[in-house]
């Protein structure tokens, strides 16, 4: 499969209509997603899947950091997806750190082989914006890329579970979610804590995306969360503690 570097000359459309205007501007400056993976089949399959599922996104694949560095357009802003393949983050830590430095303002999202807290921390220590286990789907990868463009961090539910297990038990009260939210908001909460985008939530609940945005803003306000990632973390925390009763 040939992916011409001419794709860098095309502008990346907004990844989601639910983003605030300032985020949309920043996303419009991101001309491409870049996938770096030494495994040819996996790399080409992911590139093709993104192209089919999200036609508005321009994506190009490279087999190595060196290939990307020698062929990249230095005037292009990108979100860079780096797959460790079958290696641990510690094995490629120097390369990831070099990639982060070389990428400059372009965020780097690491896709690793394992859903392991140590792998996540190692990726963040190298300067990566997010860490995703290879078990996530295409929509999760796109969502992580979208959040990375405006300094957000995406963690799938499984990763939040790993983080929760690493925290010491605390005797402070948890959030009783059902006592603060309407029935419709609880349905949105359930989708939000699973990391679903506004578009998917709207489709599943037969709502307009603008209505979903309003619900999420109200949910964030009631939870005291600054963004949807923090809201998802708080919702999952309440679920793990047995306080929430979302289905």
């Amino acid at each position: 499969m040939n992916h011409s570097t001419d794709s860098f000359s095309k502008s990346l459309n907004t990844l989601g209509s639910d983003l605030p205007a300032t985020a949309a501007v920043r996303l419009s400056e991101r001309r491409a997603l870049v996938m770096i993976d030494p495994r040819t089949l996996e790399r080409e399959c992911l590139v093709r899947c993104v192209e089919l599922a999200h036609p508005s996104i321009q994506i190009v694949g490279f087999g190595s950091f060196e290939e990307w560095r020698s062929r990249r357009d230095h005037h292009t802003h990108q979100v860079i997806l780096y797959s460790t393949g079958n290696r641990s983050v510690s094995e490629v830590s120097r390369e990831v750190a070099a990639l982060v430095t070389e990428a400059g303002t372009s965020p780097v999202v690491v896709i690793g082989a394992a859903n392991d807290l140590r792998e996540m921390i190692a990726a963040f220590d190298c300067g990566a914006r997010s860490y995703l286990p290879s078990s996530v789907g295409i929509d999760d990868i796109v969502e992580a890329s979208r959040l990375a463009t405006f300094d957000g961090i995406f963690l799938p539910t499984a990763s939040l579970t790993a983080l929760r297990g690493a925290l010491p038990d605390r005797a402070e009260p948890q959030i009783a979610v059902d006592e603060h939210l309407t029935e419709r908001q609880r349905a949105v909460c359930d989708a939000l804590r699973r990391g679903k985008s506004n578009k998917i939530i709207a489709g599943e609940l037969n709502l307009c995306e603008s209505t979903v945005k309003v619900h999420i803003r109200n949910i964030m306000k009631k939870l005291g969360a600054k963004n949807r990632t923090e809201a998802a973390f708080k919702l999952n925390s309440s679920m793990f503690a047995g306080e929430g009763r979302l289905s």
Side-chain angles (χ1 to χ4, degrees):
M1 182 181 300
N2 294 323
H3 294 281
S4 171
T5 53
D6 289 343
S7 62
F8 284 117
S9 64
K10 302 177 182 178
S11 294
L12 174 61
N13 294 328
T14 301
L15 296 179
S17 59
D18 56 316
L19 292 176
T22 53
V25 170
R26 295 184 65 177
L27 282 173
S28 68
E29 297 173 353
R30 303 289 179 182
R31 297 175 184 268
L33 291 183
V34 170
M35 180 67 205
I36 300 177
D37 191 332
R39 303 166 302 174
T40 302
L41 179 60
E42 287 80 356
R43 180 180 70 252
E44 293 186 350
C45 283
L46 187 141
V47 167
R48 186 58 177 157
C49 285
V50 171
E51 290 176 336
L52 290 174
H54 301 274
S56 64
I57 299 176
Q58 301 300 321
I59 180 169
V60 63
F62 294 99
S64 67
F65 164 60
E66 290 77 13
E67 182 185 356
W68 167 79
R69 183 167 54 182
S70 65
R71 294 173 53 192
R72 73 188 181 107
D73 182 340
H74 287 270
H75 301 290
T76 299
H77 296 284
Q78 309 150 10
V79 178
I80 303 172
L81 306 171
Y82 177 93
S83 174
T84 65
N86 297 319
R87 302 163 296 179
S88 66
V89 175
S90 61
E91 291 179 81
V92 294
S93 59
R94 290 186 178 180
E95 184 166 290
V96 174
L99 174 61
V100 170
T101 300
E102 189 80 16
T105 59
S106 299
V108 174
V109 176
V110 173
I111 302 176
N115 184 31
D116 187 290
L117 180 59
R118 288 168 296 184
E119 291 288 275
M120 286 183 253
I121 293 174
F124 289 135
D125 285 345
C126 292
R129 187 66 52 80
S130 295
Y131 174 89
L132 300 175
S134 57
S135 57
V136 301
I138 296 299
D139 287 339
D140 286 338
I141 292 174
V142 170
E143 183 74 9
S145 301
R146 174 168 56 185
L147 287 172
T149 60
F150 54 104
D151 302 329
I153 294 177
F154 177 93
L155 288 177
T157 301
S159 297
L160 289 172
T161 303
L163 287 172
R164 177 66 182 179
L167 295 174
D169 293 333
R170 300 179 64 179
E172 60 185 43
Q174 302 292 326
I175 303 170
V177 177
D178 285 27
E179 295 179 6
H180 300 283
L181 305 175
T182 67
E183 181 178 353
R184 179 61 74 181
Q185 287 174 338
R186 288 198 296 272
V188 175
C189 277
D190 189 46
L192 177 62
R193 72 182 181 82
R194 297 175 190 272
K196 296 181 179 179
S197 66
N198 287 5
K199 183 176 181 180
I200 294 176
I201 296 173
E204 291 183 348
L205 300 181
N206 195 27
L207 297 171
C208 296
E209 285 191 54
S210 58
T211 303
V212 173
K213 287 173 61 178
V214 172
H215 281 311
I216 290 180
R217 281 199 299 267
N218 290 334
I219 290 168
M220 288 168 53
K221 183 177 180 180
K222 291 182 179 181
L223 293 176
K226 297 178 181 178
N227 52 54
R228 62 189 298 142
T229 302
E230 183 179 352
F233 180 83
K234 289 190 174 186
L235 289 168
N236 278 286
S237 294
S238 67
M239 291 299 296
F240 299 143
E243 297 293 337
R245 294 179 289 278
L246 302 179
S247 58

